[in-house]
Amino acid sequence: MTPVLPRIRFGGAVLVAFLCGLLFAAGFDLTPFSHAQGRGVASKPPVQQVKPLADAGEAFVAIAEHVTPAVVSIDATSDLPQVAQRGRTPGRLPPGFEGFEEFLQPQRDRPLSSSGSGFIVSDSGYILTNNHVVTGPDRRTAADRVTVRLNDGRSFRARLIGNDPETDVAVLKIDGSGFPKVALGDDHSARIGEWVVAIGNPLGLDFTVTAGIVSAKGRSPNGLRDTSSYAVTDFIQTDAAINPGNSGGPLVNARGEVIGINTAIASGTGYFSGYGFAIPIGLARDVMDDLIRYGRVRASQLGVGVREVNEQDAGMLGLRTIAGVVVNQATEGSPAERAGLQPGDVIVKIDEQTIDRVSTLQRAVREHEPGETVRVEFVRYGGERKTVSIRVAERPGTGATPLRTDSRPAPMSGPLGTKLGIVGAAYVPGSEPRAVSPGLAGVRVTEVYPNGPAAGLLDGAQQSDVIVEILAPGTRRSVKSLDDLASAVSRLKAGDYVSLYVHSLASGAAPLRVVNIRVGG
């Protein structure tokens, strides 16, 4: 016979376990004590849970409403016809690490164009974006025309103030004042796991907002940028959805401050598949300030080629941790070479800052102006520690890239060319193979300049558009001849808006449409 006491003890243990289970479930609102749930009847989540979620949602709404007005869409066009491989620049970005210059139109005998994003950083119209958004496939030749469009629908011709291929940062300027602007934050204080928002123009979807977290910091994915010793190696990694067209757009923290410029994605297809990378805003701000003030980037350098410490290096030098930067070479005549640094030395500290990786070294050196002195602590073979003072030098800088002057199309001339960006000819009724509209008269558009006001609005390739009427400030008249149109257009000033009433010869019905154009100068 089984003793009673053990059975009681066993039963008590089961009861305690059951009650503990109820308490545990109640803590997660799985089994409320207050009432029994009927089948198929869902209980309402408690207010304590709903309110934080609502507050979080409102926070994202506030960020989007606050920042989006200062985000811009950028279209860059190069007059020189080029043929480019969509989304790839040969020899620059290997598969899996595509940049965002995806919206390329590589047709032969047509201008090469690209689109991206940017954000206004001053009410006077300075804009930060990526270098590859406003330059050609070589990352150095500037686009011939850059147009910036704001969230409120206004568009502006932008000037390239300066660009730096090494950091992939460019600065644009639009004329005007009182523009909405973003607040620049501190990427140093950004923490892994905190919420971030990416805003831009991916895949042609203007002013799109996505959210995610900071996935990593100080990321230096191999191949993401070129092998230059000046290239950025401390990207912010995020899982906020970013796609082609997001390039140059802001990565924003939960306080509505920009902490990075979205610049690349890790993907086997060239589209979002989990991770994107942003240039830290601290670096971008330094580059911007130099470009605006000096016309070039005044970045400091030690004059060394480096790599990160591995386990074997640490073992060889007796390092307590696998951290530091190995000197592969000290350039002849460089500050580092003059101070006695040699290949194999491991840099472990700059001034009071511990150096654990290449990106940390880069930042520590960049924080000093060229000509300033830094104290460099390093470990040499045998475990010997040394400290030397090095006066950092300025690396070769880059200013605004000059526009091309070769193979450029003929300049626009005459009132139609300079003000509308078109070439026209008198339309001869009956010249079509089939009757379109008996008695149709007007000016046939025979060419549309790729960088002119009418680009993308009128058809010059097929020569199927016939202008029959013009509506402009102070005038409305039928267009029966080339002189009629030229006379009306010649009275317009740069910035005026004009409506052209256009018949299309591409259809037998010759439908009429209205084309509104902002007059050029």
Side-chain angles (χ1 to χ4, degrees):
M1 178 177 287
T2 306
V4 175
L5 186 58
R7 281 189 295 174
I8 293 176
R9 288 176 178 172
F10 178 75
V14 171
L15 179 61
V16 169
F18 176 74
L19 291 174
C20 288
L22 286 177
L23 288 170
F24 180 83
F28 287 92
D29 281 327
L30 301 176
T31 311
F33 279 106
S34 57
H35 61 278
Q37 293 179 325
R39 263 187 208 186
V41 179
S43 65
K44 292 182 179 180
V47 175
Q48 301 95 300
Q49 290 183 357
V50 173
K51 190 174 186 306
L53 291 175
D55 290 344
E58 286 299 318
F60 285 117
V61 171
I63 293 171
E65 291 179 346
H66 177 70
V67 179
T68 299
V71 178
V72 301
S73 173
I74 298 175
D75 291 299
T77 306
S78 298
D79 289 335
L80 184 63
Q82 302 181 56
V83 177
Q85 184 180 358
R86 179 178 174 83
R88 288 289 305 280
T89 301
R92 298 290 293 182
L93 301 182
F97 291 103
E98 307 293 338
F100 286 122
E101 64 282 29
E102 296 285 346
F103 287 108
L104 300 179
Q105 299 172 357
Q107 301 96 331
R108 293 185 181 275
D109 302 324
R110 292 200 180 186
L112 181 68
S113 63
S114 63
S115 64
S117 307
F119 50 95
I120 304 173
V121 296
S122 73
D123 55 13
S124 60
Y126 282 102
I127 295 171
L128 264 177
T129 185
N130 279 145
N131 175 67
H132 73 256
V133 170
V134 296
T135 56
D138 62 359
R139 297 291 199 273
R140 296 182 181 275
T141 305
D144 294 289
R145 178 184 175 90
V146 178
T147 302
V148 169
R149 183 164 53 84
L150 276 62
N151 180 249
D152 61 14
R154 290 181 292 168
S155 59
F156 299 84
R157 179 75 174 267
R159 304 195 312 274
L160 178 63
I161 299 300
N163 61 298
D164 181 35
E166 306 295 351
T167 57
D168 200 17
V169 172
V171 180
L172 302 175
K173 177 70 168 64
I174 55 177
D175 293 332
S177 60
F179 293 110
K181 62 181 180 179
V182 299
L184 302 184
D186 178 13
D187 59 273
H188 283 285
S189 63
R191 296 178 299 169
I192 297 173
E194 76 173 58
W195 284 103
V196 287
V197 171
I199 306 176
N201 306 280
L203 305 173
L205 303 172
D206 290 347
F207 307 104
T208 295
V209 179
T210 58
I213 62 170
V214 173
S215 304
K217 292 179 64 180
R219 191 67 86 193
S220 53
N222 294 330
L224 185 60
R225 283 289 176 261
D226 59 32
T227 57
S228 165
S229 58
Y230 308 118
V232 183
T233 59
D234 61 342
F235 291 94
I236 299 170
Q237 181 180 318
T238 178
D239 65 349
I242 46 182
N243 272 294
N246 271 112
S247 251
L251 186 68
V252 185
N253 65 18
R255 293 178 293 280
E257 301 164 337
V258 177
I259 61 170
I261 303 178
N262 299 320
T263 190
I265 51 180
S267 167
T269 64
Y271 297 92
F272 176 75
S273 61
Y275 302 106
F277 299 90
I279 299 167
I281 197 61
L283 171 59
R285 177 165 38 202
D286 290 343
V287 171
M288 176 183 68
D289 291 344
D290 279 353
L291 289 174
I292 293 174
R293 185 175 180 182
Y294 304 107
R296 69 182 193 280
V297 179
R298 298 179 69 248
S300 299
Q301 63 165 330
L302 296 176
V304 291
V306 295
R307 64 172 174 82
E308 293 182 358
V309 165
N310 58 33
E311 183 180 359
Q312 291 76 19
D313 300 324
M316 185 71 176
L317 298 179
L319 301 177
R320 290 189 295 271
T321 58
I322 305 174
V325 173
V326 179
V327 175
N328 283 330
Q329 63 175 351
T331 305
E332 184 177 356
S334 68
E337 194 262 348
R338 290 196 299 269
L341 281 172
Q342 300 174 6
D345 291 342
V346 174
I347 299 174
V348 293
K349 187 175 288 188
I350 297 287
D351 294 329
E352 300 304 318
Q353 183 174 358
T354 299
I355 303 302
D356 59 345
R357 62 182 69 186
V358 172
S359 60
T360 311
L361 175 65
Q362 280 188 330
R363 283 214 168 208
V365 174
R366 280 182 179 274
E367 287 173 354
H368 292 271
E369 291 285 325
E372 292 183 353
T373 299
V374 298
R375 289 187 301 107
V376 179
E377 182 178 330
F378 61 93
V379 180
R380 182 160 288 172
Y381 176 72
E384 180 185 8
R385 285 182 176 259
K386 292 188 173 185
T387 300
V388 295
S389 294
I390 300 179
R391 187 184 299 274
V392 295
E394 180 180 342
R395 76 163 173 87
T398 56
T401 306
L403 300 180
R404 273 190 313 272
T405 57
D406 59 323
S407 304
R408 190 185 296 269
M412 297 181 287
S413 61
L416 297 187
T418 57
K419 296 181 182 293
L420 299 183
I422 66 172
V423 176
Y427 172 67
V428 179
S431 60
E432 298 306 307
R434 55 180 173 175
V436 180
S437 286
L440 177 66
V443 171
R444 186 170 192 164
V445 178
T446 59
E447 183 178 352
V448 177
Y449 289 95
N451 288 335
L457 301 174
L458 292 174
D459 174 29
Q462 302 299 321
Q463 301 186 8
S464 62
D465 284 343
V466 177
I467 301 171
V468 298
E469 189 174 355
I470 180 171
L471 173 62
T475 182
R476 180 167 191 165
R477 62 187 296 181
S478 296
V479 174
K480 301 295 185 182
S481 67
L482 196 58
D483 287 341
D484 288 342
L485 182 60
S487 176
V489 169
S490 63
R491 299 187 179 96
L492 300 176
K493 303 186 301 295
D496 285 345
Y497 287 89
V498 60
S499 293
L500 301 179
Y501 293 78
V502 180
H503 272 290
S504 174
L505 302 177
S507 170
L512 184 71
R513 75 181 194 276
V514 178
V515 177
N516 295 314
I517 297 175
R518 187 166 66 178
V519 176

Coordinates of all heavy atoms in Angstrom, one line a residue, residues 155-206:
S155 N 9.9 72.8 -57.5 CA 11.2 72.2 -58.0 C 12.2 73.3 -58.3 O 11.8 74.5 -58.6 CB 10.9 71.4 -59.3 OG 10.4 72.2 -60.3
F156 N 13.5 73.0 -58.1 CA 14.5 74.0 -58.3 C 15.7 73.4 -59.0 O 16.0 72.2 -58.9 CB 15.0 74.5 -56.9 CG 14.0 75.1 -56.0 CD1 13.1 74.4 -55.3 CD2 13.9 76.5 -56.0 CE1 12.2 75.0 -54.5 CE2 12.9 77.1 -55.2 CZ 12.1 76.4 -54.4
R157 N 16.4 74.2 -59.8 CA 17.7 73.9 -60.4 C 18.7 74.0 -59.3 O 18.8 75.0 -58.6 CB 18.0 74.8 -61.5 CG 19.3 74.5 -62.2 CD 19.2 73.2 -63.1 NE 20.5 73.1 -63.9 CZ 20.6 73.5 -65.1 NH1 19.7 74.2 -65.7 NH2 21.8 73.3 -65.7
A158 N 19.5 72.9 -59.0 CA 20.4 72.9 -58.0 C 21.9 73.1 -58.5 O 22.2 72.7 -59.6 CB 20.4 71.6 -57.2
R159 N 22.7 73.8 -57.7 CA 24.1 73.9 -58.0 C 24.9 72.9 -57.1 O 24.6 72.7 -56.0 CB 24.7 75.3 -57.7 CG 23.9 76.4 -58.4 CD 24.7 77.7 -58.3 NE 25.2 78.0 -56.9 CZ 24.5 78.7 -56.0 NH1 23.2 79.0 -56.3 NH2 25.0 78.9 -54.8
L160 N 25.9 72.3 -57.7 CA 26.8 71.4 -57.0 C 27.9 72.2 -56.3 O 28.7 72.8 -56.9 CB 27.4 70.4 -57.9 CG 28.4 69.4 -57.2 CD1 27.7 68.5 -56.2 CD2 29.0 68.5 -58.3
I161 N 27.8 72.3 -55.0 CA 28.8 73.1 -54.2 C 30.1 72.3 -54.1 O 31.2 72.8 -54.1 CB 28.2 73.4 -52.8 CG1 27.0 74.2 -52.9 CG2 29.3 74.1 -51.9 CD1 27.2 75.6 -53.6
G162 N 30.0 71.0 -53.8 CA 31.2 70.2 -53.7 C 30.8 68.7 -53.6 O 29.7 68.4 -53.2
N163 N 31.7 67.8 -53.9 CA 31.5 66.4 -53.7 C 32.7 65.7 -53.4 O 33.8 66.1 -53.7 CB 30.9 65.8 -55.0 CG 31.8 66.0 -56.2 OD1 32.2 67.1 -56.6 ND2 32.3 64.9 -56.8
D164 N 32.6 64.6 -52.7 CA 33.8 63.8 -52.2 C 33.5 62.3 -52.5 O 32.7 61.7 -51.8 CB 34.0 64.0 -50.7 CG 35.2 63.2 -50.2 OD1 36.2 63.1 -51.0 OD2 35.2 62.7 -49.1
P165 N 34.1 61.8 -53.6 CA 33.9 60.4 -53.9 C 34.3 59.4 -52.8 O 33.7 58.3 -52.7 CB 34.8 60.2 -55.2 CG 35.0 61.6 -55.7 CD 35.0 62.5 -54.5
E166 N 35.3 59.8 -52.0 CA 35.8 58.8 -51.0 C 34.7 58.6 -49.9 O 34.6 57.4 -49.5 CB 37.1 59.4 -50.3 CG 38.2 59.8 -51.3 CD 38.7 58.6 -52.1 OE1 38.4 57.4 -51.7 OE2 39.5 58.8 -53.0
T167 N 34.0 59.6 -49.5 CA 33.0 59.4 -48.4 C 31.6 59.3 -49.0 O 30.7 59.0 -48.3 CB 33.0 60.6 -47.5 OG1 32.8 61.8 -48.2 CG2 34.4 60.6 -46.7
D168 N 31.5 59.5 -50.3 CA 30.2 59.4 -51.0 C 29.2 60.5 -50.5 O 28.0 60.2 -50.4 CB 29.6 58.0 -50.9 CG 28.5 57.8 -52.0 OD1 28.5 58.5 -53.0 OD2 27.7 56.9 -51.9
V169 N 29.8 61.7 -50.3 CA 29.0 62.8 -49.8 C 29.0 63.9 -50.8 O 30.1 64.2 -51.4 CB 29.4 63.3 -48.4 CG1 28.7 64.6 -48.0 CG2 29.2 62.2 -47.3
A170 N 27.9 64.6 -51.1 CA 27.8 65.7 -51.9 C 26.9 66.8 -51.3 O 26.0 66.5 -50.6 CB 27.3 65.3 -53.3
V171 N 27.2 68.0 -51.7 CA 26.5 69.2 -51.1 C 25.9 69.9 -52.3 O 26.6 70.3 -53.2 CB 27.3 70.1 -50.3 CG1 26.5 71.3 -49.8 CG2 27.9 69.3 -49.1
L172 N 24.6 70.2 -52.3 CA 23.9 71.0 -53.3 C 23.4 72.2 -52.7 O 23.3 72.4 -51.5 CB 22.7 70.2 -53.9 CG 23.0 68.8 -54.6 CD1 21.7 68.1 -55.0 CD2 23.9 69.0 -55.8
K173 N 23.0 73.2 -53.6 CA 22.4 74.5 -53.1 C 21.3 74.9 -54.0 O 21.5 74.9 -55.3 CB 23.5 75.6 -53.1 CG 23.0 76.9 -52.7 CD 22.7 77.0 -51.2 CE 22.4 78.4 -50.7 NZ 21.3 79.1 -51.3
I174 N 20.2 75.2 -53.5 CA 19.1 75.8 -54.2 C 18.9 77.2 -53.8 O 19.1 77.5 -52.6 CB 17.8 74.9 -54.1 CG1 17.4 74.8 -52.6 CG2 17.9 73.6 -54.8 CD1 16.1 74.0 -52.5
D175 N 18.4 78.1 -54.7 CA 18.3 79.5 -54.3 C 16.9 79.7 -53.6 O 15.9 79.1 -54.0 CB 18.3 80.3 -55.6 CG 19.7 80.3 -56.2 OD1 20.7 80.1 -55.5 OD2 19.8 80.5 -57.5
G176 N 17.0 80.6 -52.6 CA 15.8 80.9 -51.9 C 16.1 81.0 -50.4 O 17.2 80.9 -50.0
S177 N 15.0 81.1 -49.6 CA 15.2 81.2 -48.2 C 13.9 80.6 -47.5 O 12.9 80.4 -48.2 CB 15.4 82.6 -47.7 OG 14.3 83.5 -48.1
G178 N 14.0 80.4 -46.2 CA 12.9 79.9 -45.5 C 12.5 78.5 -45.8 O 11.4 78.1 -45.5
F179 N 13.5 77.7 -46.3 CA 13.2 76.3 -46.6 C 13.0 75.5 -45.3 O 13.7 75.8 -44.3 CB 14.3 75.7 -47.4 CG 14.4 76.2 -48.8 CD1 15.4 77.0 -49.2 CD2 13.4 76.0 -49.7 CE1 15.5 77.6 -50.4 CE2 13.5 76.5 -51.0 CZ 14.5 77.3 -51.4
P180 N 12.2 74.4 -45.3 CA 12.2 73.5 -44.1 C 13.5 72.8 -44.0 O 14.1 72.5 -45.0 CB 11.0 72.5 -44.4 CG 10.9 72.6 -45.9 CD 11.3 74.0 -46.3
K181 N 14.0 72.5 -42.8 CA 15.3 71.9 -42.6 C 15.2 70.8 -41.6 O 14.3 70.8 -40.7 CB 16.4 72.9 -42.3 CG 16.1 73.6 -41.0 CD 17.2 74.6 -40.7 CE 17.0 75.3 -39.4 NZ 18.0 76.3 -39.1
V182 N 16.1 69.9 -41.6 CA 16.2 68.8 -40.6 C 17.1 69.2 -39.5 O 17.9 70.1 -39.6 CB 16.7 67.5 -41.2 CG1 15.8 67.0 -42.3 CG2 18.2 67.7 -41.8
A183 N 17.0 68.5 -38.4 CA 18.0 68.7 -37.3 C 19.0 67.5 -37.4 O 18.6 66.4 -37.6 CB 17.2 68.6 -35.9
L184 N 20.3 67.9 -37.3 CA 21.3 66.9 -37.3 C 21.6 66.4 -35.9 O 21.9 67.2 -35.0 CB 22.6 67.5 -38.0 CG 22.4 68.0 -39.4 CD1 23.7 68.5 -40.0 CD2 21.7 67.0 -40.3
G185 N 21.6 65.1 -35.7 CA 21.9 64.5 -34.4 C 23.3 64.0 -34.2 O 24.2 64.5 -34.9
D186 N 23.5 63.2 -33.3 CA 24.8 62.7 -32.9 C 24.8 61.2 -33.1 O 24.3 60.4 -32.3 CB 25.2 63.0 -31.4 CG 26.5 62.5 -31.0 OD1 27.3 62.1 -31.9 OD2 26.8 62.5 -29.8
D187 N 25.5 60.7 -34.2 CA 25.5 59.3 -34.4 C 26.3 58.5 -33.4 O 26.2 57.3 -33.2 CB 26.1 59.0 -35.8 CG 27.5 59.5 -36.0 OD1 27.6 60.7 -36.4 OD2 28.4 58.8 -35.8
H188 N 27.3 59.2 -32.7 CA 28.0 58.6 -31.6 C 27.1 58.0 -30.5 O 27.4 56.9 -30.0 CB 29.0 59.6 -31.0 CG 30.2 59.9 -31.8 ND1 31.3 59.0 -31.9 CD2 30.5 60.9 -32.6 CE1 32.2 59.5 -32.7 NE2 31.8 60.7 -33.1
S189 N 26.0 58.7 -30.2 CA 25.2 58.3 -29.1 C 24.1 57.3 -29.6 O 23.3 56.8 -28.7 CB 24.5 59.6 -28.5 OG 23.7 60.2 -29.5
A190 N 24.0 57.1 -30.9 CA 23.0 56.1 -31.4 C 23.4 54.7 -30.8 O 24.6 54.3 -30.8 CB 23.0 56.1 -32.9
R191 N 22.4 54.0 -30.4 CA 22.6 52.7 -29.7 C 22.0 51.5 -30.6 O 21.0 51.7 -31.2 CB 22.0 52.6 -28.4 CG 22.6 53.6 -27.4 CD 22.0 53.5 -26.0 NE 20.5 53.8 -26.1 CZ 19.6 53.6 -25.2 NH1 20.0 53.1 -24.0 NH2 18.4 54.0 -25.3
I192 N 22.7 50.4 -30.6 CA 22.2 49.3 -31.4 C 20.9 48.8 -30.7 O 20.8 48.7 -29.5 CB 23.3 48.1 -31.3 CG1 24.5 48.6 -32.0 CG2 22.7 46.9 -32.0 CD1 25.7 47.6 -31.9
G193 N 19.9 48.7 -31.6 CA 18.6 48.3 -31.1 C 17.6 49.4 -31.0 O 16.4 49.1 -30.9
E194 N 18.0 50.7 -31.1 CA 17.1 51.8 -31.0 C 16.4 52.0 -32.4 O 16.9 51.6 -33.4 CB 17.7 53.1 -30.6 CG 18.6 53.8 -31.6 CD 19.1 55.1 -31.1 OE1 19.8 55.2 -30.1 OE2 18.7 56.1 -31.8
W195 N 15.1 52.5 -32.3 CA 14.3 52.7 -33.5 C 14.9 53.8 -34.4 O 15.4 54.8 -33.9 CB 12.9 53.1 -33.1 CG 12.1 52.0 -32.6 CD1 11.7 51.7 -31.3 CD2 11.4 51.0 -33.4 NE1 11.0 50.6 -31.2 CE2 10.8 50.1 -32.5 CE3 11.4 50.7 -34.7 CZ2 10.0 49.0 -32.9 CZ3 10.7 49.6 -35.2 CH2 10.0 48.8 -34.3
V196 N 14.8 53.6 -35.7 CA 15.2 54.6 -36.7 C 14.2 54.6 -37.8 O 13.4 53.6 -38.0 CB 16.6 54.4 -37.2 CG1 17.7 54.7 -36.2 CG2 16.7 52.9 -37.8
V197 N 14.1 55.7 -38.5 CA 13.2 55.9 -39.6 C 14.0 56.3 -40.9 O 14.9 57.1 -40.8 CB 12.1 56.9 -39.3 CG1 11.3 57.3 -40.6 CG2 11.2 56.4 -38.2
A198 N 13.7 55.6 -42.0 CA 14.4 56.0 -43.3 C 13.3 56.7 -44.1 O 12.2 56.2 -44.3 CB 14.9 54.8 -44.0
I199 N 13.7 57.9 -44.7 CA 12.8 58.6 -45.6 C 13.5 58.9 -46.9 O 14.6 59.3 -46.9 CB 12.4 59.9 -44.9 CG1 11.8 59.7 -43.5 CG2 11.3 60.7 -45.8 CD1 11.4 61.0 -42.8
G200 N 12.8 58.6 -48.0 CA 13.3 58.9 -49.3 C 12.4 58.6 -50.4 O 11.1 58.6 -50.2
N201 N 12.9 58.3 -51.6 CA 12.1 58.1 -52.8 C 12.4 56.8 -53.5 O 12.9 56.8 -54.6 CB 12.3 59.3 -53.8 CG 12.1 60.6 -53.1 OD1 11.0 61.1 -52.9 ND2 13.2 61.3 -52.7
P202 N 12.2 55.7 -52.8 CA 12.5 54.4 -53.4 C 11.6 53.9 -54.5 O 10.4 54.1 -54.5 CB 12.4 53.4 -52.2 CG 11.3 54.0 -51.4 CD 11.5 55.5 -51.5
L203 N 12.3 53.4 -55.6 CA 11.5 52.8 -56.7 C 10.5 53.7 -57.3 O 9.4 53.3 -57.8 CB 10.8 51.5 -56.2 CG 11.7 50.5 -55.5 CD1 10.9 49.3 -55.0 CD2 12.8 49.9 -56.5
G204 N 10.8 55.0 -57.2 CA 9.9 56.0 -57.8 C 8.7 56.4 -56.9 O 7.8 57.1 -57.3
L205 N 8.6 55.8 -55.7 CA 7.6 56.1 -54.8 C 8.0 57.3 -53.9 O 8.7 57.1 -52.9 CB 7.3 54.9 -53.9 CG 6.9 53.6 -54.7 CD1 6.8 52.4 -53.8 CD2 5.6 53.9 -55.5
D206 N 7.5 58.5 -54.2 CA 8.0 59.7 -53.6 C 7.8 59.7 -52.1 O 6.7 59.4 -51.6 CB 7.4 60.9 -54.2 CG 7.9 61.1 -55.6 OD1 8.9 60.5 -56.0 OD2 7.3 61.9 -56.4

